Amino acid sequence: MAADLGELLVPFMPTIRVPKTGDRVFKSECAFSYDSPESEGGLYVCMNTFLGFGREHVERHYRKTGQSVYMHLKRHVKEVRIGRVIISNVLLNRDFNSEDYDFEDEAKLVIFPDHFEIALPNIEELPALVTIACDAVLNSPSAYKKQEPESWEEDIQESRHSRSLRQQDNGVRIRPSGWKCQKCEMRENLWLNLTDGAVLCGKWFFDGAGGNGHALDHYKDTNFPLAVKLETITPDGADVYSFEEEEAVLDPNISEHLSHFGIDMLQMQQRVKGSCVLHLSFLSPIINIEWEVIQESGSKLKSVYGSGYTGVKNLGNSCYLGCVMQVLFSIPEFQRMYVGNLQRIYDYSPLDPSQDFHCVLCYTVLLCECVTVVALRPQHQQKGLSPKMFKALVSKGHPEFSSSRQQDAQEFLQHVITLVERNSGGSENPSDVFRFLTEERVQCCQTRRVRYNQRVDYVMQLPVPIEAATNREELLAYEAKRREAEENQRAPPEPVRARVPFTACLQAFTEPDNVPDFWSSALQAKSAGVKTSRFSSFPEYLILQIKKFTFGVDWIPKKLDLSIDVPDFLDLNRFRATGLQTGEEELPNLSPPIVLPEDTRAPEIDEAAVMQLAEMGFPLEACRKAVYYTGNMGPEMAFNWIIAHMEEPDFAEPLSLPSSTIELLPSSESVAILTSMGFPRSHTIQALRATNNNLERALDWIFTHPEEEPSDADPTLSPDPEADAAGPRVKDGPGRYELLAFISHMGASTMSGHYVCHIKKEGRWVIYNDHKVSLSERPPKDLGYIYFYRRLSSS
């Protein structure tokens, strides 16, 4: 038999590779779908490219590449469990293990096209090279597993009390923050007894922190053996100590034990450097209430499954990504673009589809919508489907989104829209549904002359005038009581949230705004100027962002505690732009004089001030510009410059100063790169000139400034016959909208906390909280951060 297998594999030996350092082995998910070893058909891993394929897609890969030898991985789920379990490795590396199931793993070599199967392990009968390759694949980490050292948890044993622990039904519920020892005032090194819910301080030998030993005293009085350290709870587990066994232990039922006291492990986040904190350990007590309201924690929500109701697994601080995915890919235009062209995109995919934007987008839509015919078991849907491939591709090369830190959902949404546009080429661009034109009217206060400009926008950013709060007196009284309590070291008063009318936010959006450093071409000098904004067109889907985040006097970013009566139906027609009016006189079309530098040396910049600003989270190039344009007058002046200019489109672009009045010609290298992508030379040169020879910005300029209009123009496109033929194409229609979805944020900053989203589907609101998908009973529309409106038909 050994000779037979050896002879059988001889023709395929040149195609069988041993994974080398740096090779990615896709043994956890299919490159084209959500199929995994737990799926009914298992997963096929190519023994040459190490790409993974579900049963539906492996034949396509064989026909396209001629690769014949695949490893078939199949996981047989035996029993569902709650909490974290320790599972022995049968055939596969431990990163391949499931957290919620006992299982048996099966591996085979399959030779196409005859589907000849060879069971593994089969060391004696297989050629040595094949055995080494199979063993290397089975023990390689999955493609998206973080390369981190093994945790010390591997040496910790399960407690003998964990499975038989009896918890008291005493009604104890643990608050998400503000803990202190029940017997002293300690607020650190606190341990929750898993039997009765007592919160008590530990002793120094538990983890090196100080304490008065009240947790140990409690055990001596009660014999309740297990306690968990509150600050260490994450979605992956927590630090558990057994007083009786006198050592740190594992509790496979920790999720169930914590839930008994009202603690949901999904509400936790892990710090970058290993220590852990609760999501809700924030400055303002009102945010704790916000958490419960937004997640509808007090309700018994009904879980839902199926097409359009599939949760997304949190990869660790990736809830911003999951929410954006759920909303974006519930929009028909995105489904039509990617799911409607599914077979064509797959047929023309590159050899490594994990690096192809369109393939990954198709895959992601399938994750969110579950539109394929393969039915998932409810318990698998509850786990959530993993967006690892999507995150790896869309965040590639981005300093923030490629990290494991929490991010701003609005910034990530804009990033995805930009990538969709950039990869659309000449095909349909689904992000067109968000694009609209904003008219900016700038008036010189001295001459009363005006200038009209248009810019492309994707998000309507709505300011919040706190002074318009309807409970202003209540807020002032609360602030006075809070300061008094702080000065006297007393407990803070019951928090009060500002209630701001939505109409006041709209009014603030349309009110004239002062223009800093306005240069009047009529006066040929600096003057006072005011700017107003209106809609030149209305998009099919309007994204509306509430500007909840600001900066305090101490330069620390903070979140405004707001309740805004955001309407279900929105009519913006009264804010449509009207252009130059009768009696208005335009400002001359003159540019400010170019001030030549005294020499060509690089500008002197106070790098210490730059780094001080950068440590606050601002882009480095923006900090350099701020310090330069404020004459190195210190970080405070530069900070004020940042606040005044942070919404400008080139805010984070590198500092660029003219060295002469001679126009800079596009470099031949940049022209060659863009023309090689299929863009006309004349259009390429125009784009580079318009963006100061910045290649990336020029590419975006090309996508938003098509060279010519197509002959079969869409009747919904901007009807202005005098519009520049090279200007951006936008779809226009009535400004009447219905609320479709909203993303909510809980926490004190966009860089921390948690995101969930609510989407209206089939006439009912649904809440998506990572992998949990449930029918919403009380959608908290007044506490949202980003809102998505769908245009109503003209009828």
Side-chain angles (χ1 to χ4, degrees):
M1 181 62 180
D4 293 340
L5 287 180
E7 294 176 2
L8 178 66
L9 289 169
V10 165
F12 308 110
M13 293 293 285
T15 68
I16 299 176
R17 294 177 52 227
V18 178
K20 300 177 181 177
T21 302
D23 282 339
R24 298 187 302 164
V25 180
F26 294 80
K27 63 180 188 179
S28 294
E29 58 184 332
C30 172
F32 291 114
S33 71
Y34 53 81
D35 285 335
S36 72
E38 295 179 17
S39 303
E40 184 177 352
L43 191 74
Y44 294 79
V45 179
C46 174
M47 293 300 292
N48 181 269
T49 64
F50 310 119
L51 291 169
F53 303 95
R55 184 68 186 88
E56 182 182 357
H57 302 284
V58 65
E59 293 277 3
R60 178 190 291 110
H61 185 258
Y62 161 70
R63 292 193 301 268
K64 188 171 185 175
T65 65
Q67 298 296 336
S68 298
V69 183
Y70 297 81
M71 181 180 291
H72 183 227
L73 303 174
K74 185 72 177 75
R75 168 160 294 164
H76 302 280
V77 179
K78 295 165 56 180
E79 177 184 356
V80 178
R81 290 189 179 183
I82 299 175
R84 186 170 52 180
V85 294
I86 305 301
I87 304 170
S88 60
N89 297 333
V90 181
L91 289 173
L92 306 180
N93 185 271
R94 62 175 282 123
D95 99 280
F96 195 74
N97 293 344
S98 165
E99 295 182 351
D100 298 324
Y101 306 98
D102 281 343
F103 55 83
E104 288 182 355
D105 289 326
E106 178 185 7
K108 300 176 182 177
L109 277 185
V110 180
I111 302 176
F112 282 72
D114 298 327
H115 293 267
F116 185 83
E117 297 182 351
I118 302 173
L120 296 175
N122 202 338
I123 299 175
E124 296 180 357
E125 300 181 358
L126 292 177
L129 175 64
V130 178
T131 300
I132 294 172
C134 291
D135 185 65
V137 168
L138 289 171
N139 289 283
S140 294
S142 291
Y144 301 114
K145 178 179 173 61
K146 294 180 181 179
Q147 302 300 315
E148 298 176 344
E150 292 296 330
S151 168
W152 56 268
E153 288 183 334
E154 292 184 0
D155 299 324
I156 299 177
Q157 302 299 313
E158 179 182 329
S159 171
R160 60 174 173 265
H161 301 288
S162 59
R163 299 181 187 275
S164 59
L165 186 69
R166 293 185 179 181
Q167 296 181 281
Q168 295 180 356
D169 294 324
N170 52 11
V172 172
R173 289 294 180 269
I174 304 302
R175 290 178 56 83
S177 64
W179 314 299
K180 65 179 180 179
C181 177
Q182 294 176 6
K183 294 185 178 180
C184 66
E185 294 299 316
M186 277 209 65
R187 296 180 179 272
E188 297 179 351
N189 191 23
L190 297 177
W191 294 76
L192 169 68
N193 191 286
L194 291 177
T195 299
D196 63 354
V199 176
L200 299 159
C201 62
K203 292 189 70 173
W204 68 270
F205 54 79
F206 284 175
D207 66 342
N212 296 317
H214 289 137
L216 179 59
D217 292 342
H218 185 67
Y219 161 71
K220 293 177 179 178
D221 294 337
T222 62
N223 288 324
F224 298 155
L226 299 182
V228 58
K229 190 172 183 183
L230 286 171
E231 295 91 341
T232 66
I233 302 172
T234 74
D236 298 322
D239 292 352
V240 181
Y241 188 84
S242 173
F243 296 101
E244 181 181 317
E245 296 161 283
E246 296 186 349
E247 63 180 357
V249 295
L250 289 177
D251 179 4
N253 299 319
I254 185 64
S255 177
E256 182 181 31
H257 291 156
L258 290 173
S259 178
H260 180 82
F261 298 112
I263 299 178
D264 187 347
M265 293 174 67
L266 288 177
Q267 297 182 7
M268 314 304 169
Q269 69 175 4
Q270 188 166 6
R271 283 182 179 167
V272 176
K273 294 185 179 180
S275 60
C276 306
V277 293
L278 284 174
H279 266 307
L280 298 183
S281 298
F282 299 130
L283 299 177
S284 174
I286 200 169
I287 297 179
N288 300 339
I289 303 173
E290 176 187 62
W291 179 281
E292 296 177 0
V293 173
I294 289 177
Q295 292 194 120
E296 304 184 54
S297 300
S299 304
K300 294 283 187 180
L301 302 182
K302 179 182 178 182
S303 298
V304 287
Y305 314 101
S307 178
Y309 301 103
T310 303
V312 175
K313 186 178 181 180
N314 194 326
L315 304 178
N317 289 336
S318 68
C319 51
Y320 68 93
L321 177 146
C323 288
V324 169
M325 288 167 57
Q326 291 287 9
V327 176
L328 202 59
F329 300 127
S330 69
I331 293 175
E333 283 74 7
F334 278 83
Q335 295 178 16
R336 183 169 62 248
M337 171 63 186
Y338 296 106
V339 179
N341 296 316
L342 191 64
Q343 292 305 319
R344 181 181 64 82
I345 291 174
Y346 282 175
D347 288 341
Y348 289 93
S349 65
L351 293 180
D352 186 355
S354 70
Q355 299 302 302
D356 181 75
F357 187 81
H358 295 292
C359 283
V360 173
L361 262 290
C362 285
Y363 171 80
T364 307
V365 175
L366 292 176
L367 282 180
C368 290
E369 291 300 303
C370 264
V371 295
T372 57
V373 296
V374 180
L376 294 177
R377 294 192 296 274
Q379 56 264 39
H380 279 215
Q381 293 183 352
Q382 289 172 344
K383 283 183 61 182
L385 297 169
S386 173
K388 291 180 181 178
M389 189 181 298
F390 175 76
K391 185 179 188 298
L393 185 64
V394 301
S395 64
K396 186 177 181 180
H398 194 286
E400 290 299 328
F401 301 134
S402 60
S403 73
S404 60
R405 296 184 295 271
Q406 184 66 278
Q407 303 296 333
D408 183 1
Q410 187 272 328
E411 292 181 2
F412 182 73
L413 171 64
Q414 195 83 45
H415 176 66
V416 173
I417 290 174
T418 300
L419 291 178
V420 170
E421 285 209 341
R422 188 175 297 170
N423 287 274
S424 292
S427 61
E428 177 187 356
N429 179 7
S431 63
D432 284 348
V433 298
F434 302 125
R435 189 189 298 127
F436 62 94
L437 290 178
T438 297
E439 176 192 85
E440 287 188 346
R441 176 186 182 272
V442 181
Q443 184 174 40
C444 173
C445 294
Q446 287 185 253
T447 65
R448 313 301 296 174
R449 299 174 75 173
V450 298
R451 176 182 296 118
Y452 286 86
N453 296 310
Q454 286 187 338
R455 72 170 189 269
V456 175
D457 275 331
Y458 293 88
V459 179
M460 178 186 181
Q461 294 186 319
L462 208 59
V464 181
I466 294 294
E467 63 277 5
T470 58
N471 59 338
R472 182 176 175 81
E473 293 184 0
E474 189 180 3
L475 288 170
L476 292 174
Y478 163 72
E479 184 62 22
K481 292 179 181 178
R482 186 194 65 78
R483 285 198 301 266
E484 181 183 359
E486 187 175 292
E487 292 171 359
N488 298 318
Q489 296 184 346
R490 294 200 304 262
E494 192 70 23
V496 176
R497 173 174 284 120
R499 295 192 295 271
V500 181
F502 183 78
T503 52
C505 299
L506 279 181
Q507 183 177 350
F509 174 79
T510 57
E511 284 182 346
D513 190 19
N514 292 328
V515 181
D517 300 324
F518 175 68
W519 187 85
S520 172
S521 58
L523 297 172
Q524 293 287 296
K526 286 191 175 183
S527 173
V530 293
K531 177 178 67 177
T532 54
S533 299
R534 294 290 187 274
F535 289 90
S536 290
S537 67
F538 289 112
E540 293 186 47
Y541 288 83
L542 176 68
I543 304 175
L544 189 154
Q545 177 193 13
I546 303 294
K547 298 176 71 172
K548 288 189 171 186
F549 298 93
T550 183
F551 291 89
V553 293
D554 53 2
W555 297 13
I556 297 176
K558 65 177 183 178
K559 177 180 175 181
L560 302 175
D561 293 324
L562 302 168
S563 172
I564 301 176
D565 57 336
V566 176
D568 287 314
F569 296 93
L570 186 60
D571 190 341
L572 299 176
N573 281 308
R574 65 186 183 279
F575 300 120
R576 183 178 283 278
T578 56
L580 188 68
Q581 297 296 292
T582 303
E584 289 184 332
E585 186 177 357
E586 289 190 274
L587 286 163
N589 189 20
L590 300 174
S591 299
I594 297 176
V595 179
L596 298 178
E598 295 180 359
D599 55 41
T600 58
R601 291 177 299 177
E604 294 184 3
I605 297 178
D606 183 356
E607 293 297 337
V610 171
M611 296 311 299
Q612 192 170 345
L613 292 169
E615 288 174 357
M616 299 180 193
F618 300 117
L620 180 62
E621 292 298 336
C623 298
R624 291 179 58 80
K625 288 198 293 187
V627 173
Y628 173 79
Y629 285 123
T630 54
N632 291 318
M633 296 295 290
E636 184 172 358
M637 292 289 292
F639 175 78
N640 293 333
W641 186 95
I642 286 177
I643 298 303
H645 295 79
M646 64 190 307
E647 295 184 7
E648 295 177 0
D650 61 346
F651 173 68
E653 295 295 333
L655 175 65
S656 178
L657 300 174
S659 58
S660 70
T661 57
I662 301 175
E663 180 183 13
L664 295 176
L665 296 177
S667 68
S668 57
E669 181 181 359
S670 298
V671 173
I673 291 174
L674 292 177
T675 53
S676 68
M677 299 171 67
F679 302 114
R681 179 179 176 80
S682 59
H683 200 205
T684 292
I685 294 175
Q686 185 182 8
L688 290 167
R689 284 176 171 170
T691 57
N692 198 28
N693 292 325
N694 185 298
L695 188 61
E696 185 174 357
R697 290 175 59 199
L699 189 59
D700 290 338
W701 189 96
I702 288 174
F703 288 131
T704 55
H705 297 74
E707 187 179 33
E708 58 184 4
E709 300 287 337
S711 57
D712 54 342
D714 190 330
T716 66
L717 293 176
S718 180
D720 185 0
E722 298 180 1
D724 185 354
R729 287 168 54 85
V730 295
K731 295 188 175 184
D732 194 10
R736 297 176 60 248
Y737 295 93
E738 179 183 9
L739 185 61
L740 167 70
F742 61 95
I743 295 174
S744 304
H745 173 267
M746 294 151 283
S749 165
T750 54
M751 307 309 291
S752 63
H754 185 56
Y755 288 95
V756 301
C757 67
H758 287 72
I759 306 176
K760 195 173 185 179
K761 292 189 174 184
E762 300 176 333
R764 58 188 182 179
W765 283 100
V766 181
I767 178 173
Y768 294 79
N769 187 355
D770 290 336
H771 70 278
K772 294 180 179 179
V773 183
S774 309
L775 295 180
S776 172
E777 293 185 358
R778 296 186 299 274
K781 296 177 231 179
D782 61 321
L783 300 180
Y785 173 48
I786 308 171
Y787 295 84
F788 296 79
Y789 281 88
R790 174 176 48 205
R791 185 161 61 203
L792 294 171
S793 60
S794 55
S795 59

